[in-house]
Amino acid sequence: MIRCTFAHVDLDALESNYRALEAFLASHTPAGRRPPGIVAVVKANAYGHGAAPVARALERAGATMLACADIEEGIALRQAGVEVPILVFGALSVSDLEGLFEHRLTPTCSTPGAGRALQAAAARHRTVLPYHLKIDTGLNRLGFRHDNLERTLPELFASPNLRCAAVYTHFATADDPSHPLFDRQLERFAAARAFLAARGLGPVTTHAANSAAVLRAPGTWFDSVRPGLLLYGLAPGPFRDVLALRPVLSLRSRVVAVKNIREGESVGYGGRFVAPGPRRIATVPAGYADGLDTRLADRGAVLVNGRRVPVVGAVSMDMLAIDASSGPVYAGDEVVFLGEQAGDRITVTEMASWIGTIPYEILCRLGSRIERRYNRA
């Protein structure tokens, strides 16, 4: 049995976006300098697109490194046949570190505790482990505080089995051109790099730019950039027109039932939608267990037969209802939640705006029972 609700993932579009980004970086890099490398972010199941096929496609496209959230994600990529270096972003001080060595993963060191744990593990393996050093310049999650490095870093740098291969930071407000924190973080990162250089840390790879920073500020590119959302065809809010991208994922289903209801009758749990007149209601087999937000009720729409059809009544676990009164709709008709049909398109950004969230959440919430279908392996 194949569920009729599925996500189509266009790997050609993914690779096209990678090449478009590569060309953008090359065209905006000063003459005589090498364009930055691309660390392709594939955490959270490649933003809901499917980590293994996406990672293999990005590796083919030329990504110099992939990045994931934790060791378990990195192991899954190696088991899928990925060979390119893999950076692990997450905290490691309470993790089982054996996977780093067995699967050739590059850890982030972001706390003194993580440094001690990594040193002990590397000593047990009788190896020198390269790591990326994360500096906290204002996001205030993980990372060595930019203003406390003289106190916190000596122990890490004295670790005989660890080698700092790169230094990086992460921006909190890159997608908000009016927020002053972005420039403050960049200044703090410059000061931290100067501190590290003065204390003998030789030239190492430097990276800082997430998707928004890539489009906003070439001064943040350094040796590598770390795009995530851009690769999947979405540019952060104020930078949507900077780079031509192709959406990678569409979400589709089919109508499974249609019925007529009378004026005053309600639809769905709670009776929230009450028909103001005779209505033709179609049922679609997708709900919040598939990652469709309950706030789409009476706010969102889908495409059916080239028309926008509103979602009405409560979004339930396994299905939702649409008001199909505006034209012919029959069982078996295609329903598009995200994607194009007959010249119209519902984008991830538009769906996010309906419910007051961000595009990242729309993509990452797509459920595990949603089959991902790829146009190629």
Side-chain angles (χ1 to χ4, degrees), residues 3 8 21-22 61 66 79 94 110 113 126 134 141 152 194 213 218 247 283 301 334 336 371:
R3 297 184 73 234
H8 179 264
L21 176 58
E22 200 172 42
L66 302 179
Q79 291 174 339
V94 295
S110 57
R126 298 181 179 180
K134 185 172 186 179
R141 299 188 310 188
T152 57
T283 299
E334 182 186 59
V336 175
E371 180 190 4

Side-chain angles (χ1 to χ4, degrees), residues 198-265:
R199 279 145 185 84
L201 182 64
V204 295
T205 298
T206 303
H207 50 95
N210 56 6
S211 288
V214 166
L215 301 182
R216 171 179 176 172
T220 67
W221 292 357
F222 302 112
D223 301 301
S224 295
V225 297
R226 300 192 308 268
L229 201 62
L230 281 180
L231 297 172
Y232 306 106
L234 294 161
F239 310 109
R240 287 174 193 152
D241 298 326
V242 175
L243 190 60
L245 300 170
R246 293 167 54 187
V248 174
L249 181 142
S250 63
L251 181 63
R252 301 172 185 272
S253 189
R254 293 195 177 275
V255 172
V256 292
V258 181
K259 67 173 54 180
N260 296 317
I261 65 171
R262 299 181 178 91
E263 180 179 351
E265 292 186 323

Side-chain angles (χ1 to χ4, degrees), residues 50 52 54 130 198 257 312:
V54 164
V312 295

Side-chain angles (χ1 to χ4, degrees), residues 7-340:
H8 179 264
V9 181
D10 185 349
L11 297 179
D12 291 331
L14 177 75
E15 293 190 22
S16 173
N17 294 338
Y18 182 92
R19 290 190 295 271
L21 176 58
E22 200 172 42
F24 176 80
L25 295 170
S27 67
H28 289 76
T29 298
R33 291 186 55 187
R34 177 181 298 178
I38 297 177
V39 178
V41 181
V42 294
K43 64 180 180 175
N45 199 27
Y47 291 49
H49 292 68
V54 164
R56 289 193 296 262
L58 290 169
E59 184 177 37
R60 287 193 300 267
T64 56
M65 176 176 268
L66 302 179
C68 59
D70 53 38
I71 292 172
E72 290 72 22
E73 286 188 347
I75 291 173
L77 294 176
R78 287 287 186 240
Q79 291 174 339
V82 173
E83 291 295 330
V84 72
I86 298 172
L87 173 64
V88 177
F89 282 145
L92 301 174
S93 55
V94 295
S95 300
D96 180 354
L97 302 180
E98 291 305 303
L100 294 174
F101 302 91
E102 182 179 350
H103 298 280
R104 297 174 289 112
L105 306 178
T106 302
T108 290
C109 188
S110 57
T111 67
R116 296 183 199 108
L118 289 170
Q119 165 57 32
R124 288 196 303 272
H125 283 265
R126 298 181 179 180
T127 189
V128 175
L129 179 68
Y131 67 91
H132 287 208
L133 172 65
K134 185 172 186 179
I135 306 296
D136 179 11
T137 56
L139 188 60
N140 286 320
R141 299 188 310 188
L142 297 177
F144 288 81
R145 280 190 63 98
H146 67 96
D147 55 0
N148 200 30
L149 300 179
E150 192 159 8
R151 182 166 175 261
T152 57
L153 283 182
E155 179 185 4
L156 177 64
F157 284 174
S159 301
N161 295 90
L162 300 180
R163 176 177 64 83
C164 183
V167 59
Y168 76 96
T169 194
H170 191 47
F171 295 114
T173 61
D175 58 351
D176 183 357
S178 66
H179 203 294
L181 180 57
F182 181 79
D183 290 331
R184 287 203 300 269
Q185 284 194 261
L186 194 53
E187 292 167 2
R188 291 167 179 171
F189 191 47
R193 292 170 60 222
F195 172 90
L196 296 172
R199 279 145 185 84
L201 182 64
V204 295
T205 298
T206 303
H207 50 95
N210 56 6
S211 288
V214 166
L215 301 182
R216 171 179 176 172
T220 67
W221 292 357
F222 302 112
D223 301 301
S224 295
V225 297
R226 300 192 308 268
L229 201 62
L230 281 180
L231 297 172
Y232 306 106
L234 294 161
F239 310 109
R240 287 174 193 152
D241 298 326
V242 175
L243 190 60
L245 300 170
R246 293 167 54 187
V248 174
L249 181 142
S250 63
L251 181 63
R252 301 172 185 272
S253 189
R254 293 195 177 275
V255 172
V256 292
V258 181
K259 67 173 54 180
N260 296 317
I261 65 171
R262 299 181 178 91
E263 180 179 351
E265 292 186 323
S266 63
V267 175
Y269 289 121
R272 291 166 44 179
F273 174 79
V274 178
R279 287 292 184 270
R280 187 168 171 81
I281 301 298
T283 299
V284 185
Y288 61 76
D290 301 295
L292 294 173
D293 198 285
T294 57
R295 291 169 291 179
L296 289 171
D298 305 315
R299 297 181 187 178
V302 300
L303 297 174
V304 184
N305 296 325
R307 298 187 310 276
R308 290 197 169 216
V309 179
V311 177
V312 295
V315 175
S316 57
M317 184 182 294
D318 307 303
M319 62 188 74
L320 53 74
I322 57 176
D323 184 348
S325 307
S326 62
V329 173
Y330 302 99
D333 286 350
E334 182 186 59
V335 176
V336 175
F337 292 102
L338 296 169
E340 185 175 3

